[in-house]
Amino acid sequence: GGRCLEIAPSGERALPGILYLFGGGFVMGGPLEDLAISAKLAAWTGRRVVSPAYRLAPEHPAPAAFEDARAAHSQLLARGWAPEQIVLGGDSAGGGLALALLGEQCRTGIRPCAVFAFSPWVDLTLSGDSLTENAARDPFLPPARIKEVRDLVLGDLAPDDPRVSPLFVSFDSPPPVQIHVGTTEILRDDSRRMAAHLRAAGGTVELNEWTNAPHIWPIFDGYIPEARETIGSVARFLDQN
């Protein structure tokens, strides 16, 4: 029942459309803050993009964000969108949320046609080696604060709960997934391990590691060439799936 930002590009193609989940560590942000990404995705893919304003911690701890993402997907189904006409996408915490939603949809048999994620946060147990290996290299995310944010988000959930940590989801034949991450990010190993986990479940995963790219760099389209290259890569991936 929450609000959604919806972008319909000129020359809109037939479905599928994109359910896009914004990032911000589950504690900040919103669809308007991610407009630079969602609008470019709509323009480059020719697909309608729907981005829900899911609830944020600490006022609304997990699994509030997951429940809102699931509710937004249910609204699309109620509007007549078939599950296989929907693409799931997101960045940072929103990328993890998209993959968590994918896990439930695989379990219930309403799989989307594809999923993509920019720098997804998929492991709230904070066990990735890149949290220490890239501690002095990540220009955006301070590793000393990530546990503090994680504790604000969790509420009563365990950090390996699949609604917040899709790295621990038991996937069943997932659809194609594309993941983008920077090599100097503290979340680099979240992407690497997520890709391996999905492949082990029978999925096809395209993992793209971008040298020295900052966290969710597609938001900088017009400033760094890698941003436009990445959005173009998503458009090609969706055309193929």
Side-chain angles (χ1 to χ4, degrees), residues 1-110:
R3 294 182 300 169
C4 291
L5 175 69
E6 190 163 341
I7 303 171
S10 59
E12 181 180 3
R13 303 178 191 174
L15 295 175
I18 299 171
L19 177 61
Y20 191 79
L21 300 162
F22 66 87
F26 298 108
V27 297
M28 60 183 291
L32 288 176
E33 283 77 5
D34 260 16
L35 185 60
I37 295 179
S38 54
K40 291 291 172 59
L41 285 169
W44 279 62
T45 67
R47 292 165 168 83
R48 185 176 295 258
V49 176
V50 176
S51 182
Y54 60 80
R55 291 170 291 169
L56 300 174
E59 292 82 4
H60 303 284
F66 178 83
E67 291 171 348
D68 289 353
R70 180 171 57 189
H73 183 268
S74 295
Q75 289 178 14
L76 297 182
L77 297 180
R79 287 168 54 175
W81 294 28
E84 64 274 12
Q85 295 176 320
I86 299 174
V87 174
L88 303 181
D91 61 85
S92 194
L97 196 54
L99 290 160
L101 188 59
L102 171 65
E104 177 172 278
Q105 292 178 357
C106 287
R107 179 178 60 81
T108 57
I110 54 170

Side-chain angles (χ1 to χ4, degrees), residues 131 135 138-147 149 186:
L131 284 169
D138 192 321
F140 269 25
L141 298 182
R145 303 294 299 275
I146 195 168
K147 184 178 185 298
V149 173
I186 60 173

Side-chain angles (χ1 to χ4, degrees), residues 6 14 25 29 31 37 63 72 74 102 107 109 116 138 151 154 156 191-192 215 219 227 229-230 233 240:
E6 190 163 341
I37 295 179
S74 295
L102 171 65
R107 179 178 60 81
F116 66 93
D138 192 321
D151 292 345
L154 282 178
D156 295 328
S191 289
R192 288 180 176 178
H215 189 59
I219 202 168
E229 292 173 23
T230 303
S233 177
Q240 295 165 3

Side-chain angles (χ1 to χ4, degrees), residues 145-204:
R145 303 294 299 275
I146 195 168
K147 184 178 185 298
E148 178 184 351
V149 173
R150 187 276 304 273
D151 292 345
L152 291 174
V153 172
L154 282 178
D156 295 328
L157 295 189
D160 62 352
D161 189 293
R163 290 170 290 182
V164 290
S165 292
L167 187 62
F168 302 98
V169 170
S170 296
F171 289 97
D172 178 15
S173 300
V177 175
Q178 185 187 68
I179 299 174
H180 296 268
V181 70
T183 58
T184 57
E185 293 195 60
I186 60 173
L187 296 181
R188 180 200 64 200
D189 285 1
D190 278 37
S191 289
R192 288 180 176 178
R193 293 179 297 154
M194 191 75 239
H197 184 52
L198 288 163
R199 288 168 180 153
T204 300

